[in-house]
Amino acid sequence: MARRPWRAALGVTLAAALALSGCAASREPHGGGSGTPKTGGTVRFAMPPSATPNWIMPFSIPGYGGSYNGMIRSTMFVPLYAYDDSSGSVTLDDAASAANPPRYSPDGKTVTITLKPLTWATGEPLTSRDVEFWLNLARAGKDNWGKYSKGLIPDSITGFHAVDDRTFTFTLDKAYNPDWFTANQLSLIVPMPHAWDRTSAAGPVGDHDRTPDGAKQVFDFLVSQAKQLGTYGTNPLWKVVNGPFTLAGFTTSGEVTLRKNPKYTGPDPAKLDTVRFLTFTSSSAEYNVLRAGGVDYGYLATSNLGQRSKLEEQGYRVEPWNGWSITYSPYNFNNPKLGKVFSQLYVRQAIQHAVDQDAITSVIWRGAARVGYGPVPQDNDTKYLSPKQKTNPYPFDLAKSKKLLADHGWKPGADGVLLCADAKQCGEGIATGTRLSLTMLTESGSDETDGTMQELRSELSKVGIEMKINAQPLNTVLANGTACESKDPSCSWQLSYFGTQGSWYFSANPSGEELFATGAGTNFGSYTDPKADKLIAATNLASDDRAMLEYSAYLAEQLPVLWLPNPPYQVSAIDTALHGVSQDPMAGQLLPQRWFWTR
């Protein structure tokens, strides 16, 4: 869901700075290699600026949904099903999955699944009970689960039956499109060790999850533990893993060290000894360390693309990491000041007409980003992309923007900012005198994001809309830009941007149940539209693409969010002696267990 940044003030975390400060004078060599795989070794991976991991539990609650959390977590806790798109088509990644492919009954309402012979670090095997434990906690904590969409998992699973220790069945409330259900629903399940089934740190392990009250107590306990970042490295809970890596170190500033799990029993063991995730406050800081040789797998801001040849001479290969993603800025439809204004389609149309996507992609992103006009990724002409979205319903046109607002009763005030001169024309709930002055909560650390926000502010000012910019670290943006009720103090945000590396990365099917369905866990702006809900539901059931095309066209036209250019995840700089790297366009997996050195 929410993604990354870059910017212009030098800084790395103190630990990384101390470790790398000696590299600037004498550049660390990279590249070379014999071409023969070597076992062991360490890789230093650069995380996006201002992006610091802050969640370890296999349930991401609202405000903790950074994709880097999931990338790291999936190396320790194996998801039921993992997908990969690095080969050019979305396919099930069997080796990275905890179960064999599911078997659906002829009527589509029963799914039979058999787990692989994985083992927890305690020595206990992964069993059907661990999946039941996850399901019971999902039911108890669904309202605090960022991936929850009403009517879907766990609601859609009406029955669980353990056939034996490794085989179980789910009974579904209706027949879904099997491909969609496996890729977009079953992939959300991450079996959790039954050893976590306790209501306090000192309490006994039991079957608390088998009652609703007990399950809620366990869920709340685990969430409370997951919020204590400073204890991640020592808390025994997080040492019970079943993936190729285990957590060896975690600082409150976000630097993470993974160590090869010697007790891993699956088909995808780690080849490296350790992986270190380094944090940075800006792309400038990361680039300085990259040039000094202190990073093995890093990235370039677009402003540094002219230095590509120097990095290649130094022993790096430079590769774009393009994403199966969309980028947008949610409107807070429940904001007490402007929520009713945002609820007017003509206002959203006027704002969208003021977005010069061509200028942003070509000038600010130097061609690295792609235009985006709706809810379906359009970097490639996919089968899900409607003609309406593809051809842009709201091209850059300041004259149309001004006319839309003028025709609905908005006139310039003394300072040039538009105000509602006639409440009857402006729309329901908008008072006379309301000013079109809004604040964009945006992530800091990125020259490109800074430039995009300045460009947007400039064009909106020509229309008569004032846009103030409130730049904050990414985790702050994610935490403060969540769904809320208008009476809540937390509902003060108006628009939010977390798209420096793409706002949302899809599973195999780019349906919108997690983003734009009423009450969805990552529907941050509280958008609601009965027709959109109906179309989203149809995409979950239909076996053909017609529902997705209708959904693409309708949401492109209705503007549930402000559509913005979609950047690449990053332009990577990778040591040429490091192999096995797969830059997954869905950004759901990093798969460092497959990396290996050749020197």
Side-chain angles (χ1 to χ4, degrees):
M1 171 219 82
R3 312 307 167 205
R4 329 301 111 156
W6 1 39
R7 199 186 198 159
L10 176 61
V12 282
T13 61
L14 179 60
L18 291 173
L20 301 173
S21 59
C23 296
S26 56
R27 195 161 285 164
E28 185 179 338
H30 285 268
S34 62
T36 303
K38 309 290 184 181
T39 58
T42 297
V43 168
R44 295 160 298 182
F45 179 85
M47 285 187 293
S50 89
T52 54
N54 64 349
W55 198 252
I56 195 170
M57 180 183 172
F59 277 99
S60 56
I61 66 174
Y64 294 83
S67 62
Y68 39 86
N69 287 324
M71 286 181 175
I72 294 173
R73 190 170 58 233
S74 65
T75 69
M76 298 183 286
F77 306 104
V78 183
L80 198 64
Y81 293 109
Y83 279 76
D84 179 69
D85 190 24
S86 58
S87 64
S89 61
V90 177
T91 55
L92 180 67
D93 190 331
D94 185 64
S97 302
N100 296 322
R103 304 187 303 277
Y104 287 82
S105 61
D107 66 359
K109 296 183 67 174
T110 302
V111 188
T112 302
I113 297 171
T114 299
L115 297 169
K116 294 178 179 176
L118 295 174
T119 302
W120 297 106
T122 57
E124 295 294 319
L126 172 68
T127 69
S128 301
R129 180 69 177 96
D130 299 317
V131 178
E132 180 194 3
F133 178 55
W134 182 95
L135 179 61
N136 289 339
L137 262 62
R139 287 169 172 161
K142 63 184 182 181
D143 293 333
N144 199 30
W145 180 31
K147 295 288 188 178
Y148 174 63
S149 298
K150 186 176 181 180
L152 299 180
I153 277 184
D155 302 343
S156 56
I157 299 177
T158 59
F160 172 89
H161 173 66
V163 178
D164 56 39
D165 282 348
R166 287 175 47 206
T167 302
F168 59 91
T169 63
F170 288 139
T171 303
L172 309 182
D173 61 345
K174 59 175 69 76
Y176 294 89
N177 176 345
D179 292 338
W180 171 83
F181 195 80
T182 303
N184 287 38
Q185 294 291 282
L186 294 180
S187 64
L188 299 177
I189 298 175
V190 183
M192 300 194 305
H194 182 237
W196 290 358
D197 195 356
R198 57 178 68 200
T199 58
S200 67
V205 174
D207 289 327
H208 309 288
D209 66 300
R210 283 180 164 167
T211 67
D213 288 344
K216 185 64 168 62
Q217 291 179 49
V218 175
F219 183 89
D220 290 345
F221 164 66
L222 292 176
V223 166
S224 71
Q225 296 296 291
K227 288 183 176 180
Q228 298 177 32
L229 274 63
T231 68
Y232 278 12
T234 57
N235 192 325
L237 286 171
W238 316 129
K239 296 184 183 298
V240 187
V241 302
N242 64 353
F245 286 95
T246 186
L247 188 65
F250 189 102
T251 70
T252 54
S253 59
E255 185 173 337
V256 177
T257 301
L258 298 177
R259 182 176 60 240
K260 179 178 181 179
N261 179 8
K263 298 182 179 179
Y264 174 72
T265 58
D268 205 18
K271 297 176 174 63
L272 297 169
D273 293 324
T274 56
V275 179
R276 290 179 59 205
F277 293 84
L278 307 179
T279 61
F280 299 87
T281 58
S282 72
S283 57
S284 301
E286 187 273 344
Y287 182 70
N288 287 341
V289 176
L290 181 68
R291 288 286 288 134
V295 170
D296 304 306
Y297 189 158
Y299 53 85
L300 289 79
T302 57
S303 58
N304 289 324
L305 286 176
Q307 305 300 311
R308 175 173 183 162
S309 60
K310 292 182 179 179
L311 286 167
E312 290 174 336
E313 291 172 2
Q314 194 178 332
Y316 292 101
R317 63 183 183 273
V318 177
E319 300 175 356
W321 185 343
N322 294 316
W324 181 236
S325 58
I326 58 174
T327 297
Y328 56 88
S329 176
Y331 296 99
N332 185 357
F333 292 100
N334 285 342
N335 179 264
K337 290 184 178 180
L338 292 179
K340 295 298 183 182
V341 175
F342 296 148
S343 295
Q344 304 299 318
L345 177 58
Y346 77 85
V347 172
R348 305 197 300 276
Q349 290 172 330
I351 295 175
Q352 193 69 56
H353 273 305
V355 181
D356 190 347
Q357 293 215 33
D358 289 337
I360 293 171
T361 55
S362 62
V363 178
I364 296 173
W365 282 97
R366 295 172 173 81
R370 298 291 183 268
V371 295
Y373 307 136
V376 171
Q378 61 187 78
D379 286 358
N380 299 303
D381 190 2
T382 74
K383 62 180 181 178
Y384 305 113
L385 183 64
S386 68
K388 183 178 289 292
Q389 177 182 333
K390 182 179 179 180
T391 54
N392 191 8
Y394 305 106
F396 177 62
D397 191 328
L398 296 183
K400 281 187 178 180
S401 181
K402 291 177 181 178
K403 188 175 188 304
L404 278 166
L405 296 169
D407 288 349
H408 288 84
W410 294 87
K411 296 183 178 180
D415 58 357
V417 176
L418 293 175
L419 54 80
C420 176
D422 185 348
K424 292 181 180 179
Q425 286 185 282
C426 295
E428 182 181 354
I430 302 175
T432 298
T434 299
R435 299 175 74 246
L436 269 180
S437 176
L438 53 89
T439 299
M440 175 73 77
L441 175 64
T442 179
E443 58 178 293
S444 60
S446 164
D447 291 339
E448 292 85 353
T449 289
D450 289 347
T452 298
M453 293 299 111
Q454 293 295 341
E455 159 66 17
L456 183 57
R457 179 167 68 175
S458 174
E459 301 299 347
L460 288 173
S461 70
K462 297 173 185 176
V463 175
I465 299 174
E466 180 182 50
M467 186 181 108
K468 302 173 183 177
I469 299 173
N470 178 16
Q472 300 289 335
L474 179 54
N475 284 345
T476 301
V477 175
L478 293 174
N480 293 340
T482 57
C484 56
E485 297 296 332
S486 58
K487 64 181 181 296
D488 299 338
S490 62
C491 224
S492 60
W493 71 276
Q494 295 171 345
L495 286 97
S496 173
Y497 181 78
F498 42 87
T500 302
Q501 291 182 287
S503 296
W504 181 262
Y505 283 76
F506 289 98
S507 300
N509 186 301
S511 52
E513 63 278 351
E514 293 183 55
L515 292 177
F516 304 120
T518 299
T522 42
N523 182 351
F524 296 140
S526 302
Y527 174 75
T528 181
D529 182 305
K531 183 174 180 179
D533 289 340
K534 184 177 179 180
L535 289 172
I536 290 170
T539 68
N540 301 162
L541 301 172
S543 57
D544 58 38
D545 302 325
R546 285 177 296 176
M548 278 297 301
L549 292 172
E550 290 182 42
Y551 161 77
S552 165
Y554 186 70
L555 271 291
E557 188 175 61
Q558 289 297 304
L559 304 173
V561 293
L562 178 63
W563 302 120
L564 292 166
N566 189 47
Y569 184 83
Q570 65 185 33
V571 178
S572 300
I574 309 168
D575 190 311
T576 59
L578 180 64
H579 293 265
V581 173
S582 175
Q583 301 201 123
D584 176 19
M586 294 186 290
Q589 301 182 104
L590 198 58
L591 302 172
Q593 63 267 32
R594 298 175 188 173
W595 302 350
F596 60 89
W597 287 111
T598 59
R599 67 165 186 266

